[in-house]
Amino acid sequence: MSTRHILLGLLATGPSHGYDLKRRHDERFPQARPLAYGQVYTTLQRLVRDGLAEVDGTDSDGGPERTMYRATDDGSQELAQWAGEIAPPAPFVTNEIFAKVVVSILSGGDPEAYLRAQRAAHMERMRQLTAVKTAQGTDLATVLSADYALNHLDADLRWMTTTAARLTTLTAEVDAV
């Protein structure tokens, strides 16, 4: 996910300061990794440097003085271009679970036990996400984000089931190389 573009998108609703942008990011993207304040302010500085955002004064709102930022016309154009680009499917799949299965075979470990444990961890995370999305009053953004994560976890589970069924063949191939 592009922090630069997410912040530009949040600025599209009007001027904001870094603290508010971080809070709104964490609300709008509840299943994403929360942004660190340092990342927000560093990204804002780069946006200003690149002419995509500019300082729009300061605001104290009864607290410490905060710098307000707004998107420039160039920033709005870049955001529109980014938002319209098709995200290409990854040409290479880097999968930590697959790597651990192969390393387990290479090192004489127990890949079947690893897959069972990983499956249990995935199932627990799926239960957590299901509870989040079905809680009373859950907003649609949270439901959609949880659904996205649940579908990815489900794909992993299907892959683990297929791999567990093929471990004998995979072990023979890995050992043969």
Side-chain angles (χ1 to χ4, degrees):
M1 187 158 47
S2 169
T3 302
R4 168 186 182 108
H5 293 103
I6 296 300
L7 291 182
L8 277 173
L10 294 171
L11 286 172
T13 63
S16 270
H17 52 78
Y19 176 82
D20 187 47
L21 290 168
K22 186 238 184 301
R23 181 187 55 76
R24 288 174 40 220
H25 169 276
D26 294 350
E27 288 173 357
R28 297 276 184 220
F29 305 98
Q31 300 304 319
R33 179 177 296 142
L35 287 180
Y37 287 106
Q39 184 179 13
V40 171
Y41 289 107
T42 300
T43 303
L44 285 169
Q45 290 169 355
R46 288 182 184 138
L47 288 170
V48 169
R49 178 198 68 201
D50 296 342
L52 303 175
E54 61 189 11
V55 173
D56 191 49
T58 58
D59 178 30
S60 64
D61 199 23
E65 190 172 276
R66 295 184 175 131
T67 302
M68 300 289 288
Y69 297 88
R70 71 173 192 84
T72 63
D73 289 341
D74 286 348
S76 296
Q77 287 176 340
E78 178 167 321
L79 178 63
Q81 180 181 344
W82 174 80
E85 291 174 354
I86 301 302
F92 303 102
V93 178
T94 304
N95 185 315
E96 185 175 355
I97 298 168
F98 175 68
K100 287 183 177 186
V101 168
V102 171
V103 167
S104 181
I105 292 168
L106 289 169
S107 65
D110 187 349
E112 189 171 0
Y114 168 74
L115 285 169
R116 277 195 307 273
Q118 187 64 58
R119 180 179 177 76
H122 269 56
M123 295 298 291
E124 176 57 28
R125 182 64 181 140
M126 290 177 87
R127 282 189 284 280
Q128 293 167 355
L129 289 167
T130 300
V132 164
K133 80 176 224 166
T134 58
Q136 187 162 349
T138 302
D139 60 279
L140 184 57
T142 299
V143 170
L144 292 173
S145 181
D147 281 342
Y148 186 84
L150 283 164
N151 279 294
H152 281 266
L153 290 167
D154 182 60
D156 283 352
L157 286 173
R158 285 183 278 123
W159 179 87
M160 284 184 246
T161 299
T162 301
T163 300
R166 297 175 175 166
L167 271 177
T168 302
T169 304
L170 178 61
T171 300
E173 285 183 12
V174 169
D175 288 343
V177 175

